[in-house]
mmCIF file of all heavy atoms in Angstrom:
data_model
loop_
_atom_site.group_PDB
_atom_site.id
_atom_site.type_symbol
_atom_site.label_atom_id
_atom_site.label_comp_id
_atom_site.label_asym_id
_atom_site.label_seq_id
_atom_site.Cartn_x
_atom_site.Cartn_y
_atom_site.Cartn_z
ATOM 1 N N THR A 1 12.553 -5.551 -3.039
ATOM 2 C CA THR A 1 12.091 -4.307 -3.648
ATOM 3 C C THR A 1 11.505 -4.568 -5.109
ATOM 4 O O THR A 1 10.431 -4.052 -5.486
ATOM 5 C CB THR A 1 13.084 -3.169 -3.751
ATOM 6 O OG1 THR A 1 13.568 -2.884 -2.475
ATOM 7 C CG2 THR A 1 12.568 -1.904 -4.478
ATOM 8 N N ARG A 2 12.223 -5.444 -5.804
ATOM 9 C CA ARG A 2 11.742 -5.831 -7.095
ATOM 10 C C ARG A 2 10.380 -6.548 -7.024
ATOM 11 O O ARG A 2 9.518 -6.279 -7.845
ATOM 12 C CB ARG A 2 12.791 -6.686 -7.815
ATOM 13 C CG ARG A 2 12.376 -7.300 -9.186
ATOM 14 C CD ARG A 2 13.294 -8.337 -9.609
ATOM 15 N NE ARG A 2 12.875 -8.988 -10.907
ATOM 16 C CZ ARG A 2 13.098 -10.305 -11.183
ATOM 17 N NH1 ARG A 2 13.754 -11.036 -10.290
ATOM 18 N NH2 ARG A 2 12.661 -10.770 -12.328
ATOM 19 N N ASP A 3 10.324 -7.399 -6.068
ATOM 20 C CA ASP A 3 8.962 -8.085 -5.932
ATOM 21 C C ASP A 3 7.844 -7.114 -5.705
ATOM 22 O O ASP A 3 6.784 -7.237 -6.372
ATOM 23 C CB ASP A 3 9.067 -9.015 -4.644
ATOM 24 C CG ASP A 3 9.958 -10.218 -4.861
ATOM 25 O OD1 ASP A 3 10.126 -10.708 -6.029
ATOM 26 O OD2 ASP A 3 10.517 -10.685 -3.865
ATOM 27 N N LEU A 4 8.068 -6.132 -4.847
ATOM 28 C CA LEU A 4 6.982 -5.155 -4.611
ATOM 29 C C LEU A 4 6.694 -4.384 -5.842
ATOM 30 O O LEU A 4 5.483 -4.099 -6.142
ATOM 31 C CB LEU A 4 7.461 -4.191 -3.511
ATOM 32 C CG LEU A 4 7.691 -4.819 -2.110
ATOM 33 C CD1 LEU A 4 8.352 -3.880 -1.168
ATOM 34 C CD2 LEU A 4 6.276 -5.299 -1.589
ATOM 35 N N HIS A 5 7.734 -3.962 -6.650
ATOM 36 C CA HIS A 5 7.438 -3.241 -7.986
ATOM 37 C C HIS A 5 6.611 -4.192 -8.856
ATOM 38 O O HIS A 5 5.614 -3.718 -9.495
ATOM 39 C CB HIS A 5 8.756 -2.971 -8.572
ATOM 40 C CG HIS A 5 9.340 -1.674 -8.106
ATOM 41 N ND1 HIS A 5 8.725 -0.485 -8.025
ATOM 42 C CD2 HIS A 5 10.654 -1.476 -7.599
ATOM 43 C CE1 HIS A 5 9.528 0.426 -7.530
ATOM 44 N NE2 HIS A 5 10.697 -0.177 -7.253
ATOM 45 N N MET A 6 6.915 -5.452 -8.862
ATOM 46 C CA MET A 6 6.150 -6.410 -9.768
ATOM 47 C C MET A 6 4.751 -6.603 -9.311
ATOM 48 O O MET A 6 3.781 -6.609 -10.061
ATOM 49 C CB MET A 6 6.885 -7.728 -9.888
ATOM 50 C CG MET A 6 8.239 -7.708 -10.550
ATOM 51 S SD MET A 6 8.068 -7.263 -12.326
ATOM 52 C CE MET A 6 7.209 -8.758 -12.967
ATOM 53 N N PHE A 7 4.572 -6.704 -7.985
ATOM 54 C CA PHE A 7 3.213 -6.880 -7.401
ATOM 55 C C PHE A 7 2.357 -5.589 -7.772
ATOM 56 O O PHE A 7 1.176 -5.782 -8.179
ATOM 57 C CB PHE A 7 3.267 -7.022 -5.899
ATOM 58 C CG PHE A 7 3.715 -8.365 -5.483
ATOM 59 C CD1 PHE A 7 4.576 -8.473 -4.369
ATOM 60 C CD2 PHE A 7 3.290 -9.518 -6.074
ATOM 61 C CE1 PHE A 7 5.015 -9.767 -3.930
ATOM 62 C CE2 PHE A 7 3.714 -10.828 -5.641
ATOM 63 C CZ PHE A 7 4.585 -10.877 -4.553
ATOM 64 N N GLY A 8 2.976 -4.414 -7.614
ATOM 65 C CA GLY A 8 2.206 -3.266 -7.895
ATOM 66 C C GLY A 8 1.933 -3.096 -9.363
ATOM 67 O O GLY A 8 0.824 -2.677 -9.743
ATOM 68 N N ARG A 9 2.863 -3.564 -10.213
ATOM 69 C CA ARG A 9 2.595 -3.569 -11.666
ATOM 70 C C ARG A 9 1.390 -4.461 -12.052
ATOM 71 O O ARG A 9 0.640 -4.139 -12.938
ATOM 72 C CB ARG A 9 3.830 -3.987 -12.425
ATOM 73 C CG ARG A 9 3.796 -3.773 -13.963
ATOM 74 C CD ARG A 9 5.108 -4.206 -14.550
ATOM 75 N NE ARG A 9 6.237 -3.548 -13.987
ATOM 76 C CZ ARG A 9 7.471 -3.839 -14.188
ATOM 77 N NH1 ARG A 9 7.778 -4.812 -15.004
ATOM 78 N NH2 ARG A 9 8.543 -3.106 -13.633
ATOM 79 N N HIS A 10 1.328 -5.614 -11.428
ATOM 80 C CA HIS A 10 0.218 -6.527 -11.656
ATOM 81 C C HIS A 10 -1.025 -6.037 -11.162
ATOM 82 O O HIS A 10 -2.142 -6.145 -11.769
ATOM 83 C CB HIS A 10 0.519 -7.924 -11.091
ATOM 84 C CG HIS A 10 1.529 -8.735 -11.901
ATOM 85 N ND1 HIS A 10 1.454 -8.961 -13.209
ATOM 86 C CD2 HIS A 10 2.588 -9.452 -11.409
ATOM 87 C CE1 HIS A 10 2.401 -9.667 -13.610
ATOM 88 N NE2 HIS A 10 3.192 -10.009 -12.537
ATOM 89 N N PHE A 11 -1.065 -5.361 -9.989
ATOM 90 C CA PHE A 11 -2.274 -4.909 -9.342
ATOM 91 C C PHE A 11 -2.903 -3.737 -10.045
ATOM 92 O O PHE A 11 -4.115 -3.643 -10.138
ATOM 93 C CB PHE A 11 -1.958 -4.557 -7.864
ATOM 94 C CG PHE A 11 -3.089 -4.121 -7.034
ATOM 95 C CD1 PHE A 11 -4.218 -4.938 -6.925
ATOM 96 C CD2 PHE A 11 -3.060 -2.935 -6.334
ATOM 97 C CE1 PHE A 11 -5.342 -4.395 -6.182
ATOM 98 C CE2 PHE A 11 -4.065 -2.550 -5.580
ATOM 99 C CZ PHE A 11 -5.227 -3.272 -5.486
ATOM 100 N N LEU A 12 -2.061 -2.868 -10.499
ATOM 101 C CA LEU A 12 -2.529 -1.679 -11.201
ATOM 102 C C LEU A 12 -2.378 -1.681 -12.679
ATOM 103 O O LEU A 12 -1.435 -2.356 -13.151
ATOM 104 C CB LEU A 12 -1.833 -0.406 -10.586
ATOM 105 C CG LEU A 12 -1.864 -0.237 -9.059
ATOM 106 C CD1 LEU A 12 -0.988 0.894 -8.674
ATOM 107 C CD2 LEU A 12 -3.343 -0.055 -8.642
ATOM 108 N N SER A 13 -3.226 -1.018 -13.371
ATOM 109 C CA SER A 13 -3.069 -1.022 -14.799
ATOM 110 C C SER A 13 -2.078 -0.096 -15.370
ATOM 111 O O SER A 13 -1.623 -0.151 -16.513
ATOM 112 C CB SER A 13 -4.518 -0.554 -15.444
ATOM 113 O OG SER A 13 -4.717 0.838 -15.174
ATOM 114 N N GLY A 14 -1.493 0.804 -14.563
ATOM 115 C CA GLY A 14 -0.514 1.718 -14.872
ATOM 116 C C GLY A 14 -0.969 3.131 -15.000
ATOM 117 O O GLY A 14 -0.111 4.100 -15.086
ATOM 118 N N LYS A 15 -2.237 3.306 -15.030
ATOM 119 C CA LYS A 15 -2.846 4.652 -15.134
ATOM 120 C C LYS A 15 -3.164 5.229 -13.783
ATOM 121 O O LYS A 15 -3.398 6.489 -13.644
ATOM 122 C CB LYS A 15 -4.084 4.571 -16.009
ATOM 123 C CG LYS A 15 -3.865 4.164 -17.404
ATOM 124 C CD LYS A 15 -5.103 4.040 -18.236
ATOM 125 C CE LYS A 15 -4.857 3.557 -19.633
ATOM 126 N NZ LYS A 15 -6.085 3.404 -20.438
ATOM 127 N N GLU A 16 -3.312 4.431 -12.736
ATOM 128 C CA GLU A 16 -3.734 4.865 -11.444
ATOM 129 C C GLU A 16 -2.560 5.605 -10.762
ATOM 130 O O GLU A 16 -1.416 5.385 -10.971
ATOM 131 C CB GLU A 16 -4.189 3.720 -10.591
ATOM 132 C CG GLU A 16 -5.324 2.914 -11.103
ATOM 133 C CD GLU A 16 -5.008 1.786 -12.053
ATOM 134 O OE1 GLU A 16 -3.810 1.711 -12.388
ATOM 135 O OE2 GLU A 16 -5.934 1.033 -12.366
ATOM 136 N N ASN A 17 -3.004 6.470 -9.798
ATOM 137 C CA ASN A 17 -2.015 7.168 -8.932
ATOM 138 C C ASN A 17 -1.827 6.373 -7.671
ATOM 139 O O ASN A 17 -2.831 6.122 -6.928
ATOM 140 C CB ASN A 17 -2.653 8.604 -8.596
ATOM 141 C CG ASN A 17 -1.711 9.396 -7.681
ATOM 142 O OD1 ASN A 17 -0.604 8.962 -7.391
ATOM 143 N ND2 ASN A 17 -2.191 10.504 -7.232
ATOM 144 N N ALA A 18 -0.619 5.909 -7.382
ATOM 145 C CA ALA A 18 -0.350 5.056 -6.218
ATOM 146 C C ALA A 18 -0.613 5.795 -4.921
ATOM 147 O O ALA A 18 -0.802 5.116 -3.890
ATOM 148 C CB ALA A 18 1.057 4.638 -6.253
ATOM 149 N N GLU A 19 -0.761 7.154 -4.956
ATOM 150 C CA GLU A 19 -1.049 7.953 -3.726
ATOM 151 C C GLU A 19 -2.623 8.122 -3.553
ATOM 152 O O GLU A 19 -2.969 8.726 -2.647
ATOM 153 C CB GLU A 19 -0.303 9.221 -3.742
ATOM 154 C CG GLU A 19 1.215 9.102 -3.680
ATOM 155 C CD GLU A 19 1.884 10.410 -3.580
ATOM 156 O OE1 GLU A 19 1.267 11.445 -3.574
ATOM 157 O OE2 GLU A 19 3.128 10.429 -3.602
ATOM 158 N N ASP A 20 -3.327 7.548 -4.455
ATOM 159 C CA ASP A 20 -4.799 7.655 -4.315
ATOM 160 C C ASP A 20 -5.121 6.799 -3.023
ATOM 161 O O ASP A 20 -4.740 5.672 -2.857
ATOM 162 C CB ASP A 20 -5.447 6.893 -5.529
ATOM 163 C CG ASP A 20 -6.999 7.070 -5.485
ATOM 164 O OD1 ASP A 20 -7.548 7.141 -4.447
ATOM 165 O OD2 ASP A 20 -7.550 6.774 -6.528
ATOM 166 N N PRO A 21 -5.901 7.392 -2.073
ATOM 167 C CA PRO A 21 -6.226 6.692 -0.824
ATOM 168 C C PRO A 21 -6.955 5.376 -1.085
ATOM 169 O O PRO A 21 -6.912 4.452 -0.248
ATOM 170 C CB PRO A 21 -7.047 7.646 -0.095
ATOM 171 C CG PRO A 21 -6.667 8.966 -0.557
ATOM 172 C CD PRO A 21 -6.330 8.828 -2.036
ATOM 173 N N ALA A 22 -7.694 5.248 -2.205
ATOM 174 C CA ALA A 22 -8.368 3.963 -2.540
ATOM 175 C C ALA A 22 -7.387 2.913 -2.882
ATOM 176 O O ALA A 22 -7.783 1.704 -2.759
ATOM 177 C CB ALA A 22 -9.300 4.245 -3.739
ATOM 178 N N ILE A 23 -6.122 3.229 -3.212
ATOM 179 C CA ILE A 23 -5.116 2.222 -3.571
ATOM 180 C C ILE A 23 -4.086 2.090 -2.401
ATOM 181 O O ILE A 23 -3.785 0.941 -2.004
ATOM 182 C CB ILE A 23 -4.319 2.672 -4.805
ATOM 183 C CG1 ILE A 23 -5.351 2.588 -6.023
ATOM 184 C CG2 ILE A 23 -3.119 1.798 -5.062
ATOM 185 C CD1 ILE A 23 -4.804 3.333 -7.257
ATOM 186 N N SER A 24 -3.683 3.136 -1.847
ATOM 187 C CA SER A 24 -2.744 3.227 -0.780
ATOM 188 C C SER A 24 -3.429 3.822 0.529
ATOM 189 O O SER A 24 -3.418 5.023 0.663
ATOM 190 C CB SER A 24 -1.512 4.021 -1.141
ATOM 191 O OG SER A 24 -0.800 3.430 -2.181
ATOM 192 N N PRO A 25 -3.929 3.086 1.414
ATOM 193 C CA PRO A 25 -4.694 3.555 2.545
ATOM 194 C C PRO A 25 -3.887 4.391 3.527
ATOM 195 O O PRO A 25 -4.443 5.116 4.336
ATOM 196 C CB PRO A 25 -5.266 2.332 3.241
ATOM 197 C CG PRO A 25 -4.372 1.172 2.763
ATOM 198 C CD PRO A 25 -3.946 1.529 1.393
ATOM 199 N N LEU A 26 -2.558 4.370 3.364
ATOM 200 C CA LEU A 26 -1.806 5.399 4.238
ATOM 201 C C LEU A 26 -2.146 6.763 4.031
ATOM 202 O O LEU A 26 -2.055 7.545 5.003
ATOM 203 C CB LEU A 26 -0.329 5.120 3.938
ATOM 204 C CG LEU A 26 0.700 5.992 4.805
ATOM 205 C CD1 LEU A 26 0.659 5.490 6.217
ATOM 206 C CD2 LEU A 26 2.113 5.831 4.178
ATOM 207 N N TYR A 27 -2.687 7.106 2.849
ATOM 208 C CA TYR A 27 -2.966 8.473 2.475
ATOM 209 C C TYR A 27 -4.558 8.780 2.797
ATOM 210 O O TYR A 27 -4.980 9.904 2.512
ATOM 211 C CB TYR A 27 -2.747 8.728 1.071
ATOM 212 C CG TYR A 27 -1.312 8.594 0.730
ATOM 213 C CD1 TYR A 27 -0.792 7.355 0.223
ATOM 214 C CD2 TYR A 27 -0.392 9.599 1.030
ATOM 215 C CE1 TYR A 27 0.583 7.222 -0.073
ATOM 216 C CE2 TYR A 27 0.952 9.536 0.737
ATOM 217 C CZ TYR A 27 1.432 8.279 0.164
ATOM 218 O OH TYR A 27 2.727 8.102 -0.064
ATOM 219 N N ALA A 28 -5.203 7.850 3.400
ATOM 220 C CA ALA A 28 -6.665 7.989 3.639
ATOM 221 C C ALA A 28 -6.960 8.782 4.896
ATOM 222 O O ALA A 28 -6.040 8.781 5.757
ATOM 223 C CB ALA A 28 -7.448 6.626 3.662
ATOM 224 N N ARG A 29 -8.176 9.363 5.071
ATOM 225 C CA ARG A 29 -8.574 9.883 6.383
ATOM 226 C C ARG A 29 -8.863 8.637 7.224
ATOM 227 O O ARG A 29 -9.536 7.745 6.784
ATOM 228 C CB ARG A 29 -9.889 10.631 6.174
ATOM 229 C CG ARG A 29 -9.708 12.029 5.480
ATOM 230 C CD ARG A 29 -10.988 12.876 5.563
ATOM 231 N NE ARG A 29 -12.140 12.068 5.166
ATOM 232 C CZ ARG A 29 -13.072 11.514 5.872
ATOM 233 N NH1 ARG A 29 -12.953 11.664 7.229
ATOM 234 N NH2 ARG A 29 -14.070 10.803 5.428
ATOM 235 N N LEU A 30 -8.349 8.677 8.389
ATOM 236 C CA LEU A 30 -8.446 7.445 9.240
ATOM 237 C C LEU A 30 -9.365 7.562 10.476
ATOM 238 O O LEU A 30 -9.410 6.672 11.321
ATOM 239 C CB LEU A 30 -7.003 7.067 9.641
ATOM 240 C CG LEU A 30 -6.069 6.659 8.508
ATOM 241 C CD1 LEU A 30 -4.635 6.510 8.983
ATOM 242 C CD2 LEU A 30 -6.584 5.471 7.793
ATOM 243 N N GLU A 31 -9.936 8.714 10.599
ATOM 244 C CA GLU A 31 -10.833 8.955 11.755
ATOM 245 C C GLU A 31 -11.952 7.822 11.756
ATOM 246 O O GLU A 31 -12.436 7.491 10.766
ATOM 247 C CB GLU A 31 -11.496 10.339 11.679
ATOM 248 C CG GLU A 31 -10.586 11.504 11.863
ATOM 249 C CD GLU A 31 -9.763 11.838 10.594
ATOM 250 O OE1 GLU A 31 -10.018 11.233 9.545
ATOM 251 O OE2 GLU A 31 -8.932 12.694 10.740
ATOM 252 N N GLY A 32 -12.276 7.412 13.010
ATOM 253 C CA GLY A 32 -13.343 6.516 13.152
ATOM 254 C C GLY A 32 -12.952 5.059 13.020
ATOM 255 O O GLY A 32 -13.859 4.170 13.169
ATOM 256 N N MET A 33 -11.668 4.799 12.728
ATOM 257 C CA MET A 33 -11.291 3.350 12.696
ATOM 258 C C MET A 33 -11.372 2.730 14.136
ATOM 259 O O MET A 33 -11.215 3.474 15.053
ATOM 260 C CB MET A 33 -9.939 3.261 12.065
ATOM 261 C CG MET A 33 -9.816 3.532 10.528
ATOM 262 S SD MET A 33 -10.802 2.454 9.589
ATOM 263 C CE MET A 33 -12.305 3.327 9.316
ATOM 264 N N PRO A 34 -11.576 1.411 14.187
ATOM 265 C CA PRO A 34 -11.711 0.835 15.477
ATOM 266 C C PRO A 34 -10.337 0.625 16.178
ATOM 267 O O PRO A 34 -9.341 0.924 15.588
ATOM 268 C CB PRO A 34 -12.258 -0.546 15.126
ATOM 269 C CG PRO A 34 -11.792 -0.822 13.789
ATOM 270 C CD PRO A 34 -11.758 0.476 13.059
ATOM 271 N N PRO A 35 -10.324 0.212 17.448
ATOM 272 C CA PRO A 35 -9.093 -0.121 18.074
ATOM 273 C C PRO A 35 -8.272 -0.990 17.161
ATOM 274 O O PRO A 35 -8.744 -2.022 16.626
ATOM 275 C CB PRO A 35 -9.524 -0.834 19.352
ATOM 276 C CG PRO A 35 -10.876 -0.182 19.653
ATOM 277 C CD PRO A 35 -11.451 -0.036 18.321
ATOM 278 N N THR A 36 -6.971 -0.711 16.964
ATOM 279 C CA THR A 36 -6.143 -1.326 15.910
ATOM 280 C C THR A 36 -4.841 -1.795 16.518
ATOM 281 O O THR A 36 -4.175 -1.056 17.236
ATOM 282 C CB THR A 36 -5.856 -0.328 14.775
ATOM 283 O OG1 THR A 36 -7.082 0.054 14.174
ATOM 284 C CG2 THR A 36 -5.019 -1.054 13.703
ATOM 285 N N LEU A 37 -4.515 -3.091 16.276
ATOM 286 C CA LEU A 37 -3.278 -3.685 16.666
ATOM 287 C C LEU A 37 -2.463 -3.821 15.357
ATOM 288 O O LEU A 37 -2.905 -4.483 14.326
ATOM 289 C CB LEU A 37 -3.488 -5.019 17.267
ATOM 290 C CG LEU A 37 -2.200 -5.891 17.426
ATOM 291 C CD1 LEU A 37 -1.298 -5.161 18.440
ATOM 292 C CD2 LEU A 37 -2.543 -7.257 18.094
ATOM 293 N N LEU A 38 -1.286 -3.230 15.288
ATOM 294 C CA LEU A 38 -0.329 -3.300 14.188
ATOM 295 C C LEU A 38 0.832 -4.122 14.639
ATOM 296 O O LEU A 38 1.422 -3.870 15.646
ATOM 297 C CB LEU A 38 0.130 -1.847 13.724
ATOM 298 C CG LEU A 38 -0.968 -0.944 13.308
ATOM 299 C CD1 LEU A 38 -0.369 0.464 13.126
ATOM 300 C CD2 LEU A 38 -1.628 -1.416 12.047
ATOM 301 N N SER A 39 1.198 -5.122 13.711
ATOM 302 C CA SER A 39 2.402 -5.922 14.119
ATOM 303 C C SER A 39 3.236 -6.052 12.877
ATOM 304 O O SER A 39 2.794 -6.242 11.758
ATOM 305 C CB SER A 39 1.854 -7.380 14.423
ATOM 306 O OG SER A 39 2.910 -8.186 14.803
ATOM 307 N N VAL A 40 4.616 -5.985 13.089
ATOM 308 C CA VAL A 40 5.587 -6.074 12.027
ATOM 309 C C VAL A 40 6.861 -6.475 12.645
ATOM 310 O O VAL A 40 7.177 -6.275 13.811
ATOM 311 C CB VAL A 40 5.709 -4.715 11.262
ATOM 312 C CG1 VAL A 40 6.417 -3.610 12.199
ATOM 313 C CG2 VAL A 40 6.395 -4.877 9.976
ATOM 314 N N GLY A 41 7.832 -7.065 11.801
ATOM 315 C CA GLY A 41 9.176 -7.451 12.286
ATOM 316 C C GLY A 41 10.167 -6.415 11.740
ATOM 317 O O GLY A 41 9.906 -5.700 10.690
ATOM 318 N N THR A 42 11.250 -6.397 12.472
ATOM 319 C CA THR A 42 12.325 -5.433 11.954
ATOM 320 C C THR A 42 12.998 -5.827 10.651
ATOM 321 O O THR A 42 13.596 -5.059 9.965
ATOM 322 C CB THR A 42 13.447 -5.296 13.006
ATOM 323 O OG1 THR A 42 13.982 -6.552 13.232
ATOM 324 C CG2 THR A 42 12.787 -4.696 14.307
ATOM 325 N N GLU A 43 12.856 -7.170 10.289
ATOM 326 C CA GLU A 43 13.528 -7.599 9.021
ATOM 327 C C GLU A 43 12.406 -7.750 7.914
ATOM 328 O O GLU A 43 12.320 -8.735 7.307
ATOM 329 C CB GLU A 43 14.223 -8.952 9.209
ATOM 330 C CG GLU A 43 15.314 -8.890 10.281
ATOM 331 C CD GLU A 43 16.423 -7.838 9.945
ATOM 332 O OE1 GLU A 43 16.795 -7.891 8.748
ATOM 333 O OE2 GLU A 43 16.737 -7.006 10.834
ATOM 334 N N ASP A 44 11.690 -6.650 7.782
ATOM 335 C CA ASP A 44 10.571 -6.627 6.837
ATOM 336 C C ASP A 44 10.698 -5.362 6.069
ATOM 337 O O ASP A 44 10.778 -4.241 6.655
ATOM 338 C CB ASP A 44 9.201 -6.640 7.634
ATOM 339 C CG ASP A 44 8.038 -6.801 6.684
ATOM 340 O OD1 ASP A 44 8.043 -6.439 5.551
ATOM 341 O OD2 ASP A 44 7.052 -7.345 7.226
ATOM 342 N N PRO A 45 10.667 -5.407 4.670
ATOM 343 C CA PRO A 45 10.799 -4.182 3.909
ATOM 344 C C PRO A 45 9.611 -3.238 4.079
ATOM 345 O O PRO A 45 9.778 -2.071 3.794
ATOM 346 C CB PRO A 45 10.836 -4.705 2.417
ATOM 347 C CG PRO A 45 10.262 -6.058 2.506
ATOM 348 C CD PRO A 45 10.637 -6.600 3.874
#
């Protein structure tokens, strides 16, 4: 979790809103995206 906080701190200047879809695409409109394969492990934060 600390690593993720540090990565975010380096990536952003501190003024941006992390929920901005341009930064966090989870919040974007997703219509029209192509067929998508998502892969993840259970031991992944």
Side-chain angles (χ1 to χ4, degrees):
T1 299
R2 176 192 175 211
D3 293 329
L4 294 170
H5 280 303
M6 292 297 292
F7 286 139
R9 189 180 305 170
H10 283 312
F11 181 52
L12 304 176
S13 67
K15 300 178 181 178
E16 298 89 351
N17 177 6
E19 295 183 3
D20 183 341
I23 294 169
S24 296
L26 182 65
Y27 298 96
R29 290 188 309 102
L30 299 172
E31 291 80 5
M33 290 297 97
T36 301
L37 172 62
L38 300 171
S39 180
V40 70
T42 60
E43 300 303 313
D44 188 333

